[in-house]
Amino acid sequence: MVRNSEDTKKRILKAANGLFYAEGIRAVSVDAIAAKAGLTKKTLYYHFQSKDDLVAEYLMSRDQPNLDAMRKWFDEQEGSIADKVYAIFDGVVQSSQHPKWRGCGFLRTAGELANMPGHPAIKAGAAHKKRFETWLTEVFKDQKLNDAPSLARQVVLLLDGSFAVMMVHHDSAYIEAAGRAAKQLVEASLKNKKRK
Amino acid sequence: MVRNSEDTKKRILKAANGLFYAEGIRAVSVDAIAAKAGLTKKTLYYHFQSKDDLVAEYLMSRDQPNLDAMRKWFDEQEGSIADKVYAIFDGVVQSSQHPKWRGCGFLRTAGELANMPGHPAIKAGAAHKKRFETWLTEVFKDQKLNDAPSLARQVVLLLDGSFAVMMVHHDSAYIEAAGRAAKQLVEASLKNKKRK
DNA sequence: TTATGTATACTCATCAGTGAGTTTCCTTTT
DNA sequence: AAAAGGAAACTCACTGATGAGTATACATAA
């Protein structure tokens, strides 16, 4: 028995993470999370106010790691910005091969809780997506692309489009197609810049 | 009391439609649907095998109407193909203004049932999305665009990207941005064709 | 009078959340 | 330095509500 608040909370969050991502929010009971974390429901409720609270913390805990993964794929790719943007999509393709992959947890959660606007989990998802878009905008600005915000937004739409389509088709060719479209849009912007 | 099987089934489906779309699949009980349809649960189970069956029929019933709406927006728009494609996104923008709008029911359902691959509702969603992509491919082929399938796929990704992003941001500017990207890609393809 | 359609009233499982009590550990008092 | 007190971290067993699905019986139209 570990009587360590921080550690216990992390254990609960880890269990919640695994179950919520794999099964969905409403499909997972608090009992199941407590069981997976190896403690009782009452203990779970000692650390979290409610299931909704737990859901929100689950998504907040995914913000940084997800962002880091995207940035890593981008940074480690050699070549032009367009190539680096494509590398993000390629990273998603690789991830999607994993049998446990279930798409974007932020989007799936927001979709499931669409009848609860203002739910803290949806806000967490919005914040995460915004952070990604902002980062990408900065990247494009650093390259002196004059339409950086709108270009970043288009790439975001293609990326989230990949996640959406994958939920129905489970065919990574769609992610690659999105990546090529993104690359094409970035290249068009690069060409436009040089013309100035 | 209406003793008309077809009529009763339609009434149940209509009630299911309203509730599933508004609240989500697992958030809606069979009791609630029966109540909204003005009959008992047993009657509902006389007409549908199970809740899963009802979910699948709900989505199948949305296939044609959704497709028709998209085609209407496209057909009624004057101008180039690029303009007509943009009109689809504009149609979604208009729809999204409605307070009852909750995005794409196919995607939200697929996301919620991501832990049940092969669920008939997901297959219904996949079939619907495929039909739309196929239609768009034909449209582009009719215009003698040489990359019709990949162009159609890119537009699909942007459209579903709009639905996905709207779930978190509720900001129709994203749909417009997707529409502009789609238009740009179609225009690039048109230019490429003329060059041949 | 037999098929079809509908209702009442149930089963049993599971849900989110809690009441009441227990163990552990740290601090303060003696 | 030992005992006492109290807060923090935990468990067991429960509540009341609701979930999907059903057994049985009645009604109506052919």
Side-chain angles (χ1 to χ4, degrees):
Chain A
M1 203 101 22
V2 189
R3 301 243 159 202
N4 180 320
S5 189
E6 275 312 299
D7 194 76
T8 303
K9 203 167 173 182
K10 267 183 199 159
R11 235 172 57 237
I12 296 170
L13 218 41
K14 194 178 169 186
N17 209 304
L19 287 171
F20 281 148
Y21 181 71
E23 316 276 340
I25 305 304
R26 286 195 252 246
V28 169
S29 69
V30 177
D31 293 81
I33 295 167
K36 186 168 182 185
L39 35 76
T40 63
K41 199 163 36 163
K42 194 68 212 264
T43 302
L44 187 153
Y45 275 101
Y46 177 82
H47 293 279
F48 296 90
Q49 242 189 1
S50 63
K51 187 183 179 180
D52 283 332
D53 179 31
L54 184 53
V55 174
E57 292 227 36
Y58 144 59
L59 283 190
M60 287 190 280
S61 80
R62 294 307 312 162
D63 175 47
Q64 200 61 49
N66 273 32
L67 232 45
D68 288 345
M70 308 269 205
R71 279 201 267 245
K72 187 162 178 279
W73 291 325
F74 180 92
D75 289 337
E76 289 180 354
Q77 177 64 49
E78 313 240 321
S80 73
I81 291 268
D83 291 325
K84 283 165 167 281
V85 165
Y86 184 82
I88 295 175
F89 290 82
D90 191 57
V92 175
V93 169
Q94 303 308 322
S95 304
S96 75
Q97 308 298 319
H98 195 287
K100 283 191 178 177
W101 192 78
R102 294 278 139 77
C104 175
F106 296 96
L107 292 179
R108 278 175 53 217
T109 302
E112 196 171 345
L113 304 182
N115 61 329
M116 306 174 82
H119 190 292
I122 297 179
K123 285 181 182 166
H128 172 75
K129 295 291 181 189
K130 215 48 138 177
R131 280 189 74 192
F132 177 73
E133 189 178 338
T134 302
W135 166 72
L136 206 56
T137 303
E138 290 307 312
V139 164
F140 291 150
K141 273 187 184 161
D142 288 350
Q143 296 292 316
K144 314 288 182 203
L145 298 187
N146 44 23
D147 53 353
S150 102
L151 184 60
R153 182 157 291 197
Q154 292 178 346
V155 172
V156 161
L157 282 156
L158 284 163
L159 187 60
D160 286 327
S162 306
F163 290 127
V165 171
M166 281 299 281
M167 294 194 304
V168 299
H169 288 318
H170 307 288
D171 175 1
S172 58
Y174 280 90
I175 313 176
E176 289 161 17
R180 285 193 298 271
K183 191 177 170 185
Q184 185 179 333
L185 289 167
V186 174
E187 279 169 348
S189 178
L190 282 166
K191 204 176 290 180
N192 191 35
K193 171 188 131 195
K194 284 178 191 150
R195 215 178 277 147
K196 290 208 133 197
Chain B
M1 203 98 24
V2 189
R3 301 249 159 198
N4 182 321
S5 189
E6 276 313 298
D7 194 75
T8 304
K9 201 167 175 182
K10 267 183 198 158
R11 237 173 55 238
I12 297 170
L13 218 41
K14 194 179 168 185
N17 209 305
L19 287 170
F20 282 148
Y21 181 70
E23 317 277 340
I25 305 304
R26 287 195 253 246
V28 170
S29 70
V30 176
D31 293 80
I33 295 167
K36 186 168 182 184
L39 35 76
T40 63
K41 201 162 37 162
K42 191 66 219 255
T43 301
L44 187 154
Y45 274 101
Y46 178 83
H47 293 279
F48 296 91
Q49 241 189 2
S50 64
K51 185 182 180 180
D52 284 332
D53 179 30
L54 184 53
V55 173
E57 292 226 36
Y58 144 59
L59 283 190
M60 289 190 277
S61 80
R62 294 306 312 161
D63 174 49
Q64 200 61 49
N66 273 33
L67 232 45
D68 289 345
M70 308 270 205
R71 280 201 267 245
K72 187 163 177 279
W73 291 326
F74 181 92
D75 289 337
E76 288 180 355
Q77 177 63 49
E78 314 241 319
S80 73
I81 292 268
D83 292 323
K84 283 165 167 281
V85 166
Y86 184 83
I88 295 175
F89 290 81
D90 193 57
V92 175
V93 168
Q94 302 309 321
S95 304
S96 74
Q97 308 299 318
H98 195 286
K100 284 191 179 177
W101 192 78
R102 293 277 139 78
C104 175
F106 297 95
L107 292 180
R108 278 176 52 219
T109 302
E112 197 172 344
L113 305 182
N115 62 330
M116 306 174 82
H119 190 292
I122 297 178
K123 285 182 181 164
H128 172 74
K129 295 291 181 191
K130 216 49 140 178
R131 279 190 73 193
F132 177 72
E133 188 178 338
T134 301
W135 166 72
L136 206 56
T137 303
E138 290 306 313
V139 163
F140 292 150
K141 272 186 185 164
D142 288 349
Q143 295 293 315
K144 312 289 181 203
L145 298 186
N146 44 22
D147 53 354
S150 102
L151 184 60
R153 181 158 291 196
Q154 292 178 345
V155 172
V156 161
L157 281 156
L158 285 164
L159 187 60
D160 286 328
S162 306
F163 290 128
V165 171
M166 281 299 280
M167 294 194 305
V168 300
H169 288 319
H170 307 289
D171 175 1
S172 57
Y174 281 90
I175 313 176
E176 289 161 18
R180 285 193 298 273
K183 191 177 170 185
Q184 185 179 333
L185 290 167
V186 175
E187 278 168 349
S189 179
L190 281 166
K191 203 177 289 180
N192 191 37
K193 172 188 130 194
K194 284 178 190 149
R195 215 179 277 146
K196 290 207 136 203

